[in-house]
């Protein structure tokens, strides 16, 4: 791959698994005996806001107990040393890519450490717990919701993502099961000349759409992949 090539990387929960963060379908996506898909929705938030606040408070608190792993660090190294464009699109709402040093990073499903005002829609850092008494600091009064894209809601910055997919020379999906759309469909949206590679513990639901699909753990596959691109 020549050094000025444009790369788009998509990551999912599998890249954070070895840091100790649970994947969605590992524990068959259960949390307090609720299916994640039932908690991570606008309806659930409307129905039982305290349950949804609690779900995200617990996951936000767990971020302080985990560290980026070798796969996160390898992707940050690639961004800093690669000569061409590199966009890292993550489905993850954890902060591990940012803490590893990735900067050209797009959280398409939002971020645990941010909150959004239901009135003025302002988004701001929200490192602590959030509940029904939490108030917006921008308009001084609106109730807050997690800045998370729930099922049935539009992912963030999709125009920018599809432009990058259309122009890229290499698309790599790492640690994602290919269950959730539109992310699972990104491999079909790349331009005609692009190469596609999947790095995952087991073949994803969309593995057959990739030119190459390697199986293994992210902390093994990703540093090897980056060394091959950059040279040791
Ligand atoms: C939208 C934030 C429309 C929440 C998330 C029926 C058919 C097709 C689609 C749909 C359908 N019904 C509904 C839909 C649409 C829906 C969808 O795709 N549902 C699925 C479940 C069928 N999608 C949506 O609703 C999206 N929005 O479509 O909007 C629209 C259009 C116009 C206008 C308005 C609206 C929004 C989706 C976003 C939902 N929010 N996250 C939260 O985090 O609480 S998605 C959630 O799942 C996470 O972000 C997670 O990242 C994502 C995907 O899961 P993965 O990351 O892939 O994680 P998973 O556990 O599944 O897989 C982990 C993989 O890693 C596994 O393969 C495993 O083998 C591997 N692995 C494990 N360990 C390792 C490893 N790999 C390497 N190394 C390891 N050590
Ligand atoms: Zn506000």
């Amino acid at each position: 791959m020549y050094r000025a090539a444009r790369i788009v990387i998509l990551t999912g929960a599998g890249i954070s698994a070895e840091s100790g963060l649970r994947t969605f379908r590992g524990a068959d996506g259960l949390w307090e005996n609720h299916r994640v898909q039932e908690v991570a929705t606008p309806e659930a938030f409307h129905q039982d806001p305290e349950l949804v606040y609690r779900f995200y408070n617990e996951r936000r608190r767990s971020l302080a107990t985990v560290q980026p792993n070798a796969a996160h660090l390898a992707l940050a190294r690639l961004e800093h040393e690669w000569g061409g464009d590199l966009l890292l699109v993550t489905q993850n709402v954890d902060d591990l890519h940012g803490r590893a040093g990735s900067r050209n990073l797009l959280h398409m499903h939002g971020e645990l450490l941010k909150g959004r005002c239901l009135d003025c829609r302002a988004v701001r850092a929200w490192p602590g717990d959030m509940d029904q008494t939490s108030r917006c600091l921008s308009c001084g009064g609106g109730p807050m919701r997690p800045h998370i894209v729930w099922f049935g809601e539009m992912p963030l910055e999709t125009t920018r993502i599809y432009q990058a997919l259309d122009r890229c020379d290499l698309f790599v999906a790492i640690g994602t099961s290919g269950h959730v759309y539109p992310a699972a469909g990104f491999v079909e949206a790349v331009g005609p000349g692009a190469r596609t590679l999947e790095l995952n513990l087991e073949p994803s639901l969309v593995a057959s759409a990739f030119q190459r699909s390697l199986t293994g753990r992210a902390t093994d596959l990703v540093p090897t992949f980056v060394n091959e691109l950059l040279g040791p």
Side-chain angles (χ1 to χ4, degrees):
M1 181 60 67
Y2 58 97
R3 295 295 288 250
R6 296 186 181 101
I7 304 176
V8 175
I9 296 172
L10 171 71
T11 61
I15 199 167
S16 298
E18 291 163 87
S19 293
L21 289 181
R22 210 180 38 190
T23 64
F24 281 76
R25 279 147 207 97
D28 53 68
L30 277 187
W31 171 79
E32 284 189 4
N33 296 325
H34 295 275
R35 291 202 50 69
V36 169
Q37 263 119 291
E38 282 142 27
V39 179
T41 66
E43 296 73 23
F45 184 64
H46 180 72
Q47 193 81 29
D48 185 349
E50 278 315 317
L51 176 97
V52 176
Y53 282 126
R54 194 166 67 243
F55 176 56
Y56 288 100
N57 289 345
E58 198 177 291
R59 289 171 63 195
R60 195 177 300 110
R61 279 192 224 128
S62 69
L63 293 182
T65 67
V66 296
Q67 299 293 329
N69 62 49
H72 297 107
L73 293 167
L75 292 184
R77 175 186 164 220
L78 178 61
E79 177 183 319
H80 294 291
E81 296 182 20
W82 187 247
D85 293 342
L86 186 144
L87 175 63
L88 175 51
V89 180
T90 187
Q91 300 172 87
N92 300 340
V93 295
D94 65 55
D95 62 342
L96 294 177
H97 281 305
R99 283 166 56 194
S102 290
R103 289 294 168 268
N104 208 9
L105 170 62
L106 198 166
H107 281 272
M108 65 178 288
H109 291 161
E111 296 176 70
L112 274 173
L113 292 174
K114 289 186 178 167
R116 187 193 315 161
C117 174
L118 289 170
D119 287 352
C120 75
R121 304 182 62 76
V123 173
R124 60 168 52 236
W126 201 278
D129 282 359
M130 184 186 287
D131 62 27
Q132 297 196 73
T133 65
S134 301
R135 286 289 169 271
C136 172
L137 304 177
S138 302
C139 67
M144 296 300 291
R145 63 166 275 180
H147 181 53
I148 297 281
V149 176
W150 285 325
F151 288 95
E153 295 185 323
M154 223 15 215
L156 305 174
E157 301 201 58
T158 46
T159 307
R160 184 174 159 215
I161 296 171
Y162 284 107
Q163 272 170 357
L165 289 168
D166 185 49
R167 298 174 54 206
C168 79
D169 305 294
L170 174 61
F171 174 66
V172 189
I174 304 171
T176 182
S177 64
H179 270 88
V180 174
Y181 285 81
F186 286 172
V187 63
E188 309 284 358
V190 302
R195 288 173 46 197
T196 56
L197 169 64
E198 175 180 272
L199 305 177
N200 208 53
L201 195 62
E202 84 257 325
S204 76
L205 292 182
V206 291
S208 58
F210 287 82
Q211 288 154 1
R212 280 177 81 208
S213 170
L214 300 179
T215 54
R217 292 179 326 156
T219 54
D220 293 329
L221 295 178
V222 180
T224 305
F225 159 71
V226 169
N227 283 337
E228 275 169 14
L229 273 184
L230 292 178

